[in-house]
Amino acid sequence: MEDNIEIEISETNRGNEQIIINKKHKFNFSFQRKDKSKIYRCTEYKTLNKCKSLIILNDKKEVLKYESLHNHLEKEIDVSISVTKHKIKEEIKKNSIPMDIKPKHIFNVVSQEMGLICPEYTYLFSNYHKNIFADGTFYAAPKYSYQLFITRTYVGEFNMFYTTSISILKNKKQSTYETLFKEIKKNANKFRSNILITTINFHCDFEQVKNNNDVYIYYKAISNLPFINPNYIFDIYIIIKRICQKKKYNNFLQFLEYFNKNYLLKYNVNNWNYYENIEHLTNNASKSYNSYLNNIFPNKPLFYKLIYILKEEVKLSYNDYQRRTKGNWKKKQKLFSATDEIKILIENYKSKEINLFYNGCNRNELIKLWKECLIDLNDININLK
């Protein structure tokens, strides 16, 4: 029998008891023995997999026997949905509901949205999938969860951003984010209308460094690297690293090593560089919507209230899209933003770079030029605070 078995109690859609093991597998009640112990079989037992895994619990829900013979993939997403549905049902039972709304109706409406892509999201995923902007908020996340993670897409003909997915994260583990990104990528690919394989650009940012003002300057410099000529990013990274080593910013040096490993070595710099295409900043696309949600939920909401209200918000958003498609509402006027300011600044430095080339400059002069560009970028408020 496995050590450290983690057990959670949930229930099936019909209200029957269900056991969750290690947040990966679901077991439904099978029968009770004479000694009052209960046998639960894997939910894949009655499928084509015919999984033979089972668990036996005594009347105190202690494990007497666990046969882990799973012949199928783990189902973390499916399991998380089941556990969350159970929590929602318990929340609804414990909280006051308006007299004109039946608790069962609320649960059915909410639970149907979980683990699914709304029809509105499906259409936006299928038609506007080239750029996906992502950001998270902690304030609007429901109780007993960690973060609300939101993706949005840009519809150029209306100059509008629309939400394409909303996810509730239980913790900040790397494995949780990896699972999330796999699901987002899978859904984006699933609903794309064309059959050609095209690149999906996923835009996100770093969290703010909480340290002294000097460290924050270097943090902003690293955050602004996506805007400068990618040919000189590594050189400037080395300069920043040497300065931080000299000043003994040990915590920030750990971040620099992470950045080097994941963004300079693991991935092609051109995959996250905006130098040739500065159109939108992740913060502008997502953080404004997060602020909107934070105003709706000044306190951490319950699961069912969050999903119930978000469902209505999705309808409003899609209605906006439909009205603009039909010409009922005009294209949103584009205002001069930090993105435009950055774009102008980068174009100015591109011109300076060309002039240096014509005058026979060396590589060190070009590195110095783009380092000066980073200093100027640091003076632009791009809403990273």
Side-chain angles (χ1 to χ4, degrees):
M1 186 171 69
E2 293 184 13
D3 296 328
N4 301 321
I5 298 175
E6 182 181 351
I7 296 178
E8 290 183 81
I9 307 299
S10 183
E11 61 183 53
T12 65
N13 291 332
R14 296 183 177 181
N16 297 321
E17 190 178 49
Q18 188 175 77
I19 303 298
I20 307 295
I21 301 297
N22 297 333
K23 300 185 185 296
K24 297 176 181 179
H25 300 290
K26 298 191 294 184
F27 292 77
N28 289 342
F29 173 72
S30 180
F31 63 91
Q32 181 173 309
R33 301 194 299 191
K34 291 182 179 180
D35 60 358
K36 294 186 178 182
S37 62
K38 294 181 180 180
I39 295 179
Y40 300 82
R41 294 191 179 276
C42 176
T43 53
E44 293 293 311
Y45 174 67
K46 294 184 178 181
T47 68
L48 294 176
N49 290 320
K50 296 182 179 180
C51 180
K52 296 182 180 179
S53 298
L54 61 83
I55 187 166
I56 302 175
L57 306 179
N58 61 20
D59 55 354
K60 296 180 180 179
K61 292 295 185 291
E62 296 172 334
V63 179
L64 300 179
K65 182 179 182 181
Y66 177 39
E67 292 186 1
S68 181
L69 304 171
H70 298 286
N71 58 354
H72 51 88
L73 297 176
E74 297 171 349
K75 294 186 174 183
E76 286 190 86
I77 297 293
D78 188 41
V79 167
S80 296
I81 291 172
S82 294
V83 172
T84 304
K85 281 184 178 181
H86 178 64
K87 289 181 179 178
I88 289 172
K89 183 173 282 188
E90 292 301 307
E91 284 179 350
I92 293 173
K93 288 178 181 178
K94 295 176 182 178
N95 286 272
S96 59
I97 305 293
M99 294 296 291
D100 58 334
I101 300 178
K102 296 181 180 180
K104 189 175 187 302
H105 170 71
I106 287 185
F107 176 74
N108 289 340
V109 170
V110 170
S111 63
Q112 286 171 7
E113 296 299 318
M114 301 193 60
L116 302 175
I117 297 295
C118 301
E120 295 85 352
Y121 292 171
T122 301
Y123 183 83
L124 290 168
F125 260 134
S126 64
N127 290 275
Y128 304 98
H129 52 261
K130 183 177 180 181
N131 292 283
I132 296 176
F133 298 84
D135 195 42
T137 175
F138 305 99
Y139 302 106
K143 292 182 178 180
Y144 313 115
S145 67
Y146 175 71
Q147 185 183 42
L148 203 64
F149 194 86
I150 300 160
T151 63
R152 312 193 80 202
T153 191
Y154 178 66
V155 180
E157 57 262 41
F158 305 136
N159 189 35
M160 290 288 292
F161 286 92
Y162 294 99
T163 303
T164 50
S165 73
I166 299 175
S167 307
I168 300 172
L169 306 187
K170 58 186 177 181
N171 56 49
K172 59 179 179 179
K173 293 180 181 178
Q174 181 174 333
S175 58
T176 300
Y177 285 102
E178 288 175 350
T179 301
L180 169 67
F181 292 145
K182 285 178 182 177
E183 287 297 308
I184 292 173
K185 181 180 178 182
K186 182 177 72 176
N187 285 319
N189 287 326
K190 179 180 179 181
F191 297 113
R192 283 194 284 182
S193 57
N194 59 46
I195 59 174
L196 298 176
I197 298 176
T198 55
T199 302
I200 296 176
N201 299 313
F202 198 84
H203 306 259
C204 53
D205 58 16
F206 298 117
E207 292 302 316
Q208 179 180 342
V209 170
K210 295 181 179 179
N211 212 315
N212 62 53
N213 188 53
D214 289 338
V215 171
Y216 183 67
I217 291 172
Y218 298 115
Y219 157 75
K220 283 191 71 176
I222 293 294
S223 298
N224 289 328
L225 287 178
F227 303 116
I228 71 170
N229 191 325
N231 293 324
Y232 309 104
I233 285 179
F234 186 75
D235 302 272
I236 294 174
Y237 163 80
I238 293 298
I239 292 172
I240 293 173
K241 182 178 178 180
R242 286 173 179 169
I243 293 173
C244 291
Q245 286 174 330
K246 186 176 180 180
K247 294 188 176 183
K248 297 182 180 180
Y249 295 149
N250 295 328
N251 290 337
F252 189 68
L253 283 169
Q254 292 180 15
F255 166 75
L256 290 179
E257 285 302 315
Y258 167 84
F259 178 81
N260 179 44
K261 179 181 177 182
N262 288 281
Y263 289 88
L264 299 181
L265 300 179
K266 187 175 182 179
Y267 297 109
N268 187 329
V269 171
N270 291 317
N271 289 342
W272 51 264
N273 187 264
Y274 288 87
Y275 178 68
E276 296 293 350
N277 185 28
I278 302 175
E279 293 297 333
H280 303 287
L281 300 181
T282 304
N283 301 76
N284 291 348
S286 303
K287 287 192 177 298
S288 59
Y289 187 69
N290 287 348
S291 298
Y292 171 69
L293 290 179
N294 293 340
N295 289 329
I296 294 178
F297 304 108
N299 299 312
K300 279 188 170 294
L302 296 172
F303 267 102
Y304 82 90
K305 287 184 178 179
L306 172 73
I307 298 174
Y308 193 73
I309 292 175
L310 288 181
K311 184 175 183 294
E312 299 305 311
E313 287 297 319
V314 170
K315 288 181 180 178
L316 292 175
S317 179
Y318 190 60
N319 286 341
D320 177 283
Y321 174 78
Q322 286 184 316
R323 287 177 178 272
R324 293 182 192 279
T325 301
K326 295 175 181 178
N328 295 340
W329 290 351
K330 295 181 180 179
K331 176 179 179 179
K332 184 179 178 181
Q333 184 179 0
K334 185 174 182 180
L335 302 176
F336 187 79
S337 64
T339 306
D340 300 309
E341 195 175 351
I342 290 173
K343 194 172 183 178
I344 292 171
L345 178 67
I346 296 300
E347 290 299 324
N348 182 37
Y349 271 90
K350 285 182 180 180
S351 298
K352 290 182 180 181
E353 183 181 44
I354 292 173
N355 290 332
L356 285 174
F357 267 122
Y358 283 142
N359 293 323
C361 68
N362 58 40
R363 183 175 178 82
N364 287 334
E365 289 177 287
L366 293 173
I367 293 172
K368 182 180 178 181
L369 173 73
W370 287 106
K371 188 174 72 171
E372 291 172 355
C373 179
L374 275 184
I375 294 172
D376 286 342
L377 282 168
N378 275 12
D379 292 331
I380 295 176
N381 179 17
I382 59 172
N383 199 22
L384 281 170
K385 295 183 178 180

